[in-house]
Amino acid sequence: MSLDHAPDHIKLAVDLIELLESHDIEPSVAVGALTIALKDFQGKLEKIDKT
């Protein structure tokens, strides 16, 4: 399946998964890091929504 016409968030998710897997990142470490990143970006969205 080609990602050429996939939404940007799908393309980014696939890239992140490939990056983590290619570096043999343990799933628990990946989930912890992604949780922190998610909270950070959710905070940025809240700031944008308030303006």
Side-chain angles (χ1 to χ4, degrees):
M1 182 174 149
S2 174
L3 292 175
D4 293 336
H5 301 292
D8 288 342
H9 68 282
I10 299 296
K11 292 177 186 177
L12 179 58
V14 170
D15 288 345
L16 289 170
I17 292 166
E18 289 177 350
L19 177 70
L20 294 167
E21 288 181 347
S22 70
H23 286 85
D24 296 321
I25 304 299
E26 292 293 325
S28 61
V29 173
V31 168
L34 291 168
T35 300
I36 293 167
L38 177 60
K39 289 178 183 178
D40 180 67
F41 277 93
Q42 285 174 328
K44 290 175 183 179
L45 276 178
E46 288 177 13
K47 287 181 183 177
I48 290 170
D49 290 342
K50 289 181 181 178
T51 59

